[in-house]
Amino acid sequence: MGRRRTRSGVAAAKLRVRQCGILLGVLVALVAVLSPASAMAASDAAASGTATADSSASDTADSDSDDTPRVRLARPTWDTGWFQAEVYRILLQQLGYQVDDPVTMGNAEFYDAVAAGEVDMWASGWFPLHDTYLSPDSPVEAVGTAVDAGALQGYFVDLRTAETHGITGLGDLADPSVAELFDHDGDGRADLVGCDVGWSCAAVIDHHLDAYGLTDTVEHTQGDYSPLIAGTIDRWRAGEPVLFYTWTPNWTVGVMAPGVDAAWLETPFASLPADQSAALARTAVSGIRGCANDPCQTGWPPNDIRAVANTDFLDANPAVRTLLEQVAIPLADISAQNVRMIREGGDPADIRRHAAEWVQANQAIVAKWINTADPSAVAFAPLGEDTAPSGVLRVTARVLAPFVIYHEGAYSGFEVEIVRLVAARMGMTAEIHSVDTVAKQIDDIKRDIADVGLGGAAITESREQTIDFSMPVLDSGLTILTTAEGSRGLGQRIVAFFGAIAQSDLPWLLGVFAAAVLIAAHLIWLLERRHNSDFAVPYRRGIWDSFYWSVVTMSTVGYGDKVARGTRGRVFALLWISLGTLIFASFTAAIASSLAVSELRSEISGPHDLAGKRVATVASSAGETYLPSIGVGPVVVEDVDDAYRLLDEGGVDAIVFDAPVLRYHAAHEGTGDVVTAGPDFQRVRYALMVDDADSQLREQLNLALLDLVESGIYGRLHDGWFGADDS
């Protein structure tokens, strides 16, 4: 009986515990529902229409803890528009907004994303070109005009050829003799460097050639635009006729300025594809430099560059709307930055620096924009994507011989061969496309457009912060290029000799010599004129005799036809002979020294021989940084080809630049005329760029590279490009 009670008591206790647990669970749920935090979360969920739909829980927590308004900025796939994006980012930060790193998008991708509220804005709307993306009921609008009717497109030839042959319009190319001037592949037709297959401009160019009856005399040359236009610029610099399409703002028109270096060709009449016919009335543009007529029938309608933003975002942020309505960036400034970006290689840090420098240089007008948008604005201090290989190893390349060479539509080069061998060992094929800048390469990798970047990418601290690298594919550095012994002609030797004289003490000694001779001539005349017929009394006659005596006596020739006869005159003659010997010896030594300097100037074997020499290097290169550190003030040029010309013309004694580039030039274009001097210095390592988040791809690349090294293939490839002595 007692045992039964005990069991029932235990059962009852368990039941009570279970009931308490249920009640406790209900209470916890009620507390969770009624708590302030939950109420706030519910409120946030109700207002989530202004937030990105796919924001993570951690992002929401971060956002709730930070009241700073945020702008999600996009930028276009063409890197010539990234400068504007960085300028807008700085302006928005000065307005007090936190601005995310710009997301790179294609046109259609951006307009879909901004309409859906996934991004807020970008600075690269081209209108009327982008009119098709907007509709009256679209939640997207263009606001402000950064560049008014400045985005132009057209056809160009180099100015020298245009003036020589009277070429003013695209229609002139219907003449086979004119078209043949621009024939580089020998098919008898002019080679017009145009647009990539798939670009909207490519369809317009094809339409123009057909509409103007030029298909028999003009060939639309297509491929990767970046290396094609770079090759065009190289031909122009070499003095060859060139024919090409380009747009503004773009670095091309900064190098070949219309009206100065290039002629803007008119089209015979206005003609556009059917889907663009509404813009026909706008293809004649006034004020075009380099065009034969004003207005100029360019064949393309001008575009305004405008910011584009989500309307709800602008309504919620009226200060941003007011700012965007004011911003204007001169077209010349954008073009100048594009040229600078190409010249410096275009690291992301370079583009950000260019934007910051522009804002600083225009701080007065920027401050006015910010104050008009929000007088109480407090600037926000600046604030931080995946890739995976497939059966194709996607490669983004920057043309720089000997690493990457683009010739007649095909890629070659040391790193091109490396990456193809690496891809084969990974069971893949390499697919290469070219861009202009390192920044664009990095962006392509980050956006999963490419897996690997190459083109003489040096491993630097700043690049390591945004991108990762494979193991080095080349360990090199700087070297010196100078003229080969015996390659200087007589004219160059004469120029070098007189240059050495000008830089020596000889001009000063000549002045001392002349002054001493004149003083001695006057003294001997004064001492001998009264009793010595060798020194005539009339001054104009006697001073010439005295000058003659002074020179022959000082030189120790002493013909004896004129001698001092008085005691004082003879004493002075003895003193003058002694003093003159020293002066004449110094004069002779100076001439001998100048001759020695002239002959030794080309004897350069390393950096220690550069002191006192005229040394060229390329702007923003390691050479420009290194030379002042050893006391050499360099002659800075924008392109290594300019340095080659200076060396060939005797304008400089040597070039200091990247060793692989100079050694390649010495072995190919400069064979027999130039040589590299001494070993490399200031060593630099070059590698393949990969996404820092893709450690698996990096490991695969490194294993494949090690296999190339251990098999001996790398060594043979290296020696084939750089020679066996360049290790």
Side-chain angles (χ1 to χ4, degrees), residues 520-521 524-525 528-529 531-566 569-570 572-574 576-577:
I524 195 64
W525 182 75
E528 294 289 317
R529 62 191 172 93
H531 55 267
N532 191 342
S533 60
D534 289 341
F535 302 93
V537 172
Y539 175 79
R540 284 183 296 182
R541 177 184 172 190
I543 196 61
W544 170 248
D545 291 336
S546 300
F547 182 80
Y548 167 78
W549 175 89
S550 179
V551 172
V552 297
T553 302
M554 178 269 296
S555 63
T556 70
V557 175
Y559 291 114
D561 54 339
K562 295 184 183 296
V563 296
R565 302 186 187 278
R570 288 178 177 179
F572 175 71
L574 291 173
W576 178 237
I577 291 171

Side-chain angles (χ1 to χ4, degrees), residues 454-505:
L454 55 84
I459 302 174
T460 64
E461 182 181 358
S462 62
R463 289 175 181 171
E464 282 278 15
Q465 295 175 2
T466 56
I467 202 71
D468 207 348
F469 291 89
S470 69
M471 62 178 285
V473 298
L474 184 65
D475 189 2
S476 188
L478 300 177
T479 196
I480 302 169
L481 187 76
T482 187
T483 52
E485 184 177 356
S487 64
R488 294 189 302 169
L490 177 61
Q492 290 178 308
R493 289 177 179 271
I494 293 174
V495 170
F497 169 67
F498 282 108
I501 288 179
Q503 296 176 21
S504 70
D505 293 333

